[in-house]
């Protein structure tokens, strides 16, 4: 009977140990699962933050590019206007020079006519 009692106690101890191992494994697995869930959630949040940061940087770059293009367009327009004015000024100067030439020719012609009339 003592052997039977010892065997029963040993069997009970084995069952208790097995249950303790099972409980420990279950708790460890649950903790690991919780940790993985937390890490996944954190990665997801950080990914969203990185995506937002990239969008902000891209928008700022696009704004800078647009502003640079606009400034370049204004500068090009001003340069073109200056060239157009210079061409127009040259045309005016040439027209004045041509008018002076015509007047000089008329003066020479008139002087010649006066000289011819005086000689006659």
């Amino acid at each position: 009977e003592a052997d039977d009692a010892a065997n029963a106690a040993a069997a009970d101890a084995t069952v208790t140990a097995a249950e303790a191992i099972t409980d420990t494994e279950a708790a460890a697995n649950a903790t690991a699962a919780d940790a993985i869930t937390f890490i996944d959630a954190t990665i997801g949040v950080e990914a969203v933050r990185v995506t937002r940061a990239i969008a902000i940087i891209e928008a700022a770059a696009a704004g800078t590019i647009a502003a640079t293009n606009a400034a370049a367009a204004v500068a090009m327009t001003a340069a073109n206007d200056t060239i157009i004015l210079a061409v127009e000024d040259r045309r005016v100067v040439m027209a004045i020079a041509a008018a002076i030439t015509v007047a000089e020719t008329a003066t020479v012609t008139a002087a010649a006519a006066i000289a011819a009339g005086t000689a006659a």
Side-chain angles (χ1 to χ4, degrees):
E1 290 183 9
D3 284 344
D4 289 342
N7 288 339
D12 286 345
T14 301
V15 169
T16 302
E19 288 173 350
I21 290 169
T22 302
D23 291 345
T24 302
E25 287 176 347
N29 287 339
T31 302
D34 289 345
I36 290 169
T37 301
F38 175 76
I39 291 167
D40 285 346
T42 303
I43 290 170
V45 168
E46 291 306 316
V48 169
R49 287 183 183 160
V50 169
T51 302
R52 286 181 184 158
I54 290 170
I56 290 167
I57 291 166
E58 286 176 343
T64 301
I65 290 168
T68 302
N69 288 345
V74 168
M76 286 177 62
T77 300
N80 286 338
D81 290 346
T82 302
I83 291 167
I84 290 167
L85 290 174
V87 169
E88 288 174 356
D89 288 347
R90 185 170 180 272
R91 286 181 184 153
V92 169
V93 169
M94 290 181 71
I96 292 169
I100 290 170
T101 301
V102 169
E104 286 174 344
T105 303
T107 302
V108 169
T109 303
I114 290 168
T118 302

